[in-house]
Amino acid sequence: MRLYSLSVLYKGDPGTRLLKAAYDVSTFNFFQRSSVQEFMTFTSQLIAERSEPGSRASVKEQEYLCHVYVRGDGLAGVLIADNEYPPRVCFTLLDKV
């Protein structure tokens, strides 16, 4: 079970903006880390942008499972983990963030 990324975004009028993010790319090859982090940033913004306010969803992207929670005020949290990470734990963490 691995948690790779936790991002907080704001879904506003001009578009979705990344406010803060934390990544754990230590399991990837040194030369792949920047591209994996860029992929996670892009995927987080895309999923948050396509999600409706007040919704929760899980999206499978390649071998990762992306969990998103968008509040009614436009604040969104996206968590990227592997398939073994329990979805209930992910959404509880997103609620607390």
Side-chain angles (χ1 to χ4, degrees):
M1 288 191 321
R2 293 209 55 94
L3 185 108
Y4 296 109
S5 168
L6 178 62
S7 305
V8 178
L9 303 102
Y10 181 70
K11 189 175 178 178
D13 188 23
T16 304
R17 290 180 293 152
L18 181 67
L19 299 177
K20 196 68 176 170
Y23 304 97
D24 179 18
V25 291
S26 61
T27 58
F28 297 98
N29 184 348
F30 178 77
F31 298 105
Q32 295 175 332
R33 290 179 184 173
S34 63
S35 60
V36 169
Q37 185 172 333
E38 187 177 317
F39 158 76
M40 290 182 188
T41 302
F42 175 76
T43 304
S44 297
Q45 287 181 329
L46 188 66
I47 290 172
E49 190 172 306
R50 292 184 177 179
S51 299
E52 293 296 321
S55 68
R56 299 172 195 242
S58 296
V59 179
K60 184 167 175 58
E61 181 63 37
Q62 295 179 9
E63 66 266 10
Y64 308 107
L65 203 55
C66 308
H67 305 279
V68 61
Y69 172 49
V70 182
R71 293 189 337 186
D73 61 357
L75 198 61
V78 179
L79 190 139
I80 299 176
D82 61 3
N83 292 328
E84 298 174 6
Y85 213 85
R88 184 175 181 170
V89 175
C90 293
F91 287 116
T92 302
L93 180 60
L94 287 172
D95 278 339
K96 292 186 182 213
V97 169

